[in-house]
Amino acid sequence: MLPTLSFQIQTIPDVQAIRQLYQLDGEIGEADVADFVLQRCRAQSGSDFMPFHLHRVVAIAGVLQQDERLSVIQRLAADPKDEAAMLADWLTLLRDSRARLVSWDGARLELPVLRHRALALGLPLAEQLRNGADAASHCALSDALSGGHAELATPLGELARLCGLPGEADLNGPRRWELYRAGDSQALSDHNARQAASCHLLWLRQQWIDGALDQAAHLNWQQSLRAAAAALPHAHWRGWLADWRGYDAAQNR
């Protein structure tokens, strides 16, 4: 099986860029700058979703399945000065692993944001993220399952729970900003890593029902991810594992 990397990112408003582009006074606080751009988005589109160039990536995580091994990778850049190094490290991982990328909604968030940030920060893109890359280099599961009907797409956490897998609600833009402002960027990063793991479980299940994996291989990779999560020292993974209600039933089929 080809190397696969299921991944997620978490973003917040890029306060520095917003100040620069909209010529906001330096005395205006970060919270007011973010509120300005979020209100502007609501007025223009009716949602909190910001244009791609106004996102700053604070967390990125993935599950790398390669050479019969599986690992959980988690990165955090709470300080703006750390974002470039975090993304450079991630792009190196993509180049070195040559992994096929899997995301939940990456065609509408992860890939465009990463391309914009790489351009702004002067970071050479990995082949998987380049415009014109082979379609097989990235699978956006939500698009694949919904047939491109984005307005009817199921949230990742809801579909995971329907499949007996651990899943939780996404954090919207204001909630991500609230956690960041409260100094709880680690909670953002932890949530992001759990979402990446749930995404990988859904991808494995999709590969099984599509016939790309037989049942034994599907269960083996599930067991590998469960073992990898259980071996991590962070307490939040205990709750994620406890929510995996369908695991025992699957193993006993």
Side-chain angles (χ1 to χ4, degrees):
M1 179 177 260
L2 292 174
T4 301
L5 178 65
S6 298
F7 79 109
Q8 294 271 120
I9 67 173
Q10 294 292 325
T11 70
I12 59 171
D14 185 346
V15 171
Q16 182 178 348
I18 296 164
R19 286 190 195 278
Q20 176 186 346
L21 293 174
Y22 297 104
Q23 299 180 332
L24 300 180
D25 194 290
E27 295 182 359
I28 300 174
E30 283 193 344
D32 290 331
V33 171
D35 188 56
F36 162 79
V37 79
L38 291 172
Q39 287 193 32
R40 183 183 175 92
C41 292
R42 292 178 197 123
Q44 292 180 340
S45 66
S47 80
D48 295 316
F49 192 81
M50 298 179 298
F52 298 127
H53 66 296
L54 299 182
H55 290 254
R56 176 164 78 81
V57 181
V58 292
I60 190 163
V63 174
L64 178 61
Q65 183 174 307
Q66 183 179 33
D67 298 331
E68 303 303 318
R69 297 192 302 273
L70 188 148
S71 56
V72 179
I73 303 160
Q74 183 175 347
R75 301 285 186 270
L76 172 65
D79 190 306
K81 296 190 294 293
D82 297 332
E83 183 190 15
M86 176 185 72
L87 293 181
D89 179 60
W90 190 259
L91 292 170
T92 298
L93 172 66
L94 298 191
R95 281 189 287 270
D96 290 347
S97 69
R98 304 185 65 84
R100 181 191 191 194
L101 302 181
V102 175
S103 67
W104 183 248
D105 199 21
R108 281 184 289 274
L109 176 66
E110 276 83 0
L111 267 61
V113 167
L114 290 175
R115 288 172 182 143
H116 279 76
R117 296 312 289 165
L119 191 64
L121 297 168
L123 300 173
L125 282 174
E127 183 178 351
Q128 301 95 315
L129 298 176
R130 294 174 189 163
N131 287 316
D134 187 337
S137 65
H138 173 241
C139 171
L141 268 177
S142 180
D143 281 349
L145 292 170
S146 66
H149 296 286
E151 71 282 1
L152 301 176
T154 307
L156 166 62
E158 291 186 15
L159 186 57
R161 291 194 298 274
L162 284 175
C163 295
L165 305 172
E168 54 196 275
D170 288 329
L171 300 176
N172 61 22
R175 179 56 180 154
R176 293 195 301 271
W177 178 244
E178 179 184 335
L179 285 170
Y180 174 78
R181 288 287 296 162
D184 206 0
S185 297
Q186 189 62 52
L188 270 177
S189 181
D190 292 345
H191 167 82
N192 193 54
R194 295 191 302 269
Q195 290 289 78
S198 294
C199 180
H200 194 73
L201 287 175
L202 281 173
W203 177 77
L204 287 172
R205 189 176 178 90
Q206 189 260 348
Q207 292 291 289
W208 170 47
I209 65 170
D210 276 358
L213 287 177
D214 60 27
Q215 186 177 22
H218 175 227
L219 295 178
N220 180 63
W221 283 117
Q222 276 194 333
Q223 188 174 28
S224 295
L225 180 49
R226 189 176 181 90
L232 294 170
H234 313 295
H236 69 94
W237 287 105
R238 307 293 87 77
W240 186 83
L241 289 168
D243 286 341
W244 197 338
R245 299 183 309 279
Y247 179 76
D248 290 337
Q251 294 295 314
N252 293 326
R253 283 178 183 163

